[in-house]
Amino acid sequence: MKKNNLILGIVIVVLVTIASIWYGRNNGLLPVAAGDEALLYDDLFNTILAIAFGFFLIIEGVLIYSIVKFRRRKGDETDGATIHENLTLEIVWTAIPTVIVMWVAIYSFDVYTAMQGSQGTEGMAHGGMSHAVAHHDRGGMPTSKATLASTNTDGVLMAGTLANGGDDVVAIDVSAMQFAWIFNYPNEVATAELHVPVGKKVRLNMTAVDVLHAFWVPQLRIKQDVIPGRETFLEFTPRVVGEYPVVCAELCGSYHGGMRTTMVIDTPDDYQVWLKDQQEIAANDPEAIVATGNVADMTDQEFLSGKASQLGVDHLHMQHK
Ligand SMILES: [Cu+2]
């Protein structure tokens, strides 16, 4: 009998382990990992999920087993056995989670550091900000015009005014504003859509024109605050060609939810072609912000009309302040 229990125990442990590892690898909960750094994050996430899934199976298994096995039988009015303290058990159920939590903390911090950690916010509000020249006279939507007008002299940054991370790095200056992203490439190219080449390290030097915003691409597993009067940066290496959403992840005003654009990871050839096209457009019209149309130039009506049908709204009643 004892021997059978031991064998049963071993079988259960083996099955739970296999199930946990399988679920950790096949949970499908994360979107595609579009950057090299995303893989580190995914390993961490999947490992923690595997451990959690193992505990889930064990705890729910014991729970269901106990409900069935120790249920009150008909006519049984006796009390349960009085069990007072089990030191061994308490040490075990304290020690195991402690070890796991410590290990997860160290592993997480390792991944956090490898993915840039807190470095990205260590940029200083240096001279680059003050000699950044606003060459685009961009109005915002009516509600934000006042804010933008007062900040426009420090507004859209010219490419190259912020730090770049070396020759092998594609450095792009990013301006965030209510409610759009402007990406500044060399040669006066400013776009509303982000294009990056696959396989090359990208550095986004970011600042905000008006209020706090946050640059987030779920497929890169990275997010960084974009702060007025101060530079922050993000570095990543695109690995899967495709189109991904750029989301503002900091509540920044009435249309925060609409502050989205697209990041396109191009093949190196496509990227060069795209960049050349943009440079031609910029040469012909220095004011052009192309690629997806300029959100900042739209009125409330124009901006929201595209969203209205998705929301099931027929008429938009706007308050103009
Ligand atoms: Cu925003």
Side-chain angles (χ1 to χ4, degrees), residues 177 179 181 212-214 248-252 256 259:
M177 65 185 70
F179 299 91
W181 300 98
L212 280 177
H213 301 275
C248 178
E250 190 73 64
L251 183 59
C252 60
H256 158 71
M259 189 168 163

Side-chain angles (χ1 to χ4, degrees), residues 70-83:
F70 304 114
R71 71 186 187 280
R72 191 179 73 89
R73 301 304 205 286
K74 217 176 176 191
D76 180 3
E77 298 294 334
T78 58
D79 282 339
T82 48
I83 298 168

